[in-house]
Amino acid sequence: MKMHPIVAIAGALTLAACAAEPHLSPYTGLFPEKYAVRTAPPPADPAFFRDKTVALVSSQNFEKYVNIWRETYERGGAQRAAAIGEKMASSVAAIGSEYADAVRLGAQSAAATGEGMRNVMDPRRISDVAVASLKRSFKTVIVAHDFADAVDKHADFIALVDFHSTFSTGLVTETFYMWAGLYMHDARLNQIFKVEYPMESTLSIMGDVMGAQARGMTKTVEEFKKALAARLP
């Protein structure tokens, strides 16, 4: 099955934004490999958190997504997509194909849509939800590089935020996967609770691939916010 040039070019920028990476354990790089995370019961009264300090730590999954987003949307990714399309269009035109204009139009569309996707796919949509939820329950929210840094900063609790976005391509379908999570720990690094929201969306590769990705991100943000509100009222 041939993909129409407009779809091919428009899809290229979307795929760059969701690089096909495995979802690592949120604890990768924070604990030794195969380390069994210890658990402990959470405080019976949520009010216990109100005079405490919590440190926010991001997972490797989250950091990888941030780097992909920056490369795609902050470092000329949309412009590169347009330039690739123009080069393809010139090559197609050289052999007299009727698809040359379609390829060029697809490249321009990808660039314009990519700029619009920048805010929708911003990783701060996830971290802002986490911070806002923590601020309602804790006296102070700080940021730490890792668990050791959080302990050095005398945090009473540590919140590990995780986000992952990837995809798989079938013969005629594209499936997007997203995962948002927050893992709360006490100062001894015992996990006292976790909130996780996985999302999966499949559509035809001839469909609105970028729109599906954007809708998936928005749904993930909304559901993650609801889940945190239920856990941290």
Side-chain angles (χ1 to χ4, degrees):
M1 174 182 177
K2 275 191 174 181
M3 184 184 295
H4 194 281
I6 292 179
V7 177
I9 296 298
L13 188 60
T14 304
L15 302 188
C18 312
E21 295 276 354
H23 182 207
L24 303 175
S25 163
Y27 295 100
T28 299
L30 297 172
F31 285 143
E33 188 177 357
K34 296 183 180 179
Y35 176 84
V37 178
R38 302 188 304 268
T39 60
D45 183 1
F48 178 80
F49 295 134
R50 288 180 185 163
D51 63 345
K52 307 298 182 184
T53 294
V54 61
L56 189 68
V57 174
S58 57
S59 70
Q60 278 195 20
N61 294 316
F62 190 93
E63 295 298 332
K64 282 184 179 181
Y65 180 79
V66 169
N67 289 335
I68 292 169
W69 179 84
R70 284 176 173 164
E71 185 66 25
T72 304
Y73 297 110
E74 287 196 335
R75 296 170 181 164
Q79 288 74 20
R80 283 196 301 275
I84 291 171
E86 286 291 342
K87 186 174 181 179
M88 289 176 63
S90 297
S91 298
V92 170
I95 60 175
S97 172
E98 73 275 16
Y99 282 138
D101 288 340
V103 171
R104 184 174 289 107
L105 178 61
Q108 294 169 351
S109 176
T113 305
E115 290 296 336
M117 290 278 284
R118 182 176 182 273
N119 291 334
V120 175
M121 302 307 298
D122 194 326
R124 284 170 291 200
R125 295 186 70 190
I126 296 293
S127 57
D128 286 353
V129 164
V131 170
S133 298
L134 294 170
K135 281 184 175 180
R136 287 196 297 270
S137 296
F138 290 87
K139 179 180 180 181
T140 306
V141 179
I142 62 175
V143 175
H145 297 298
D146 51 30
F147 284 175
D149 186 37
V151 171
D152 288 344
K153 290 178 177 177
H154 307 290
D156 301 298
F157 292 89
I158 305 168
L160 172 63
V161 63
D162 185 42
F163 180 70
H164 180 67
S165 176
T166 190
F167 66 93
S168 65
T169 303
L171 184 62
V172 295
T173 61
E174 192 85 44
T175 302
F176 292 104
Y177 307 92
M178 291 186 184
W179 178 284
L182 186 137
Y183 305 81
M184 184 64 68
H185 304 79
D186 60 24
R188 294 184 178 183
L189 307 188
N190 298 311
Q191 185 192 101
I192 59 174
F193 70 78
K194 63 182 178 180
V195 171
E196 296 174 326
Y197 177 73
M199 193 283 302
E200 178 178 326
S201 178
T202 300
L203 74 160
S204 165
I205 57 175
M206 299 298 288
D208 182 10
V209 177
M210 298 183 87
Q213 185 191 15
R215 290 190 295 274
M217 180 65 162
T218 296
K219 182 178 180 181
T220 299
V221 170
E222 291 173 351
E223 295 299 327
F224 185 48
K225 183 177 181 178
K226 290 178 185 176
L228 284 177
R231 184 78 245 199
L232 290 167

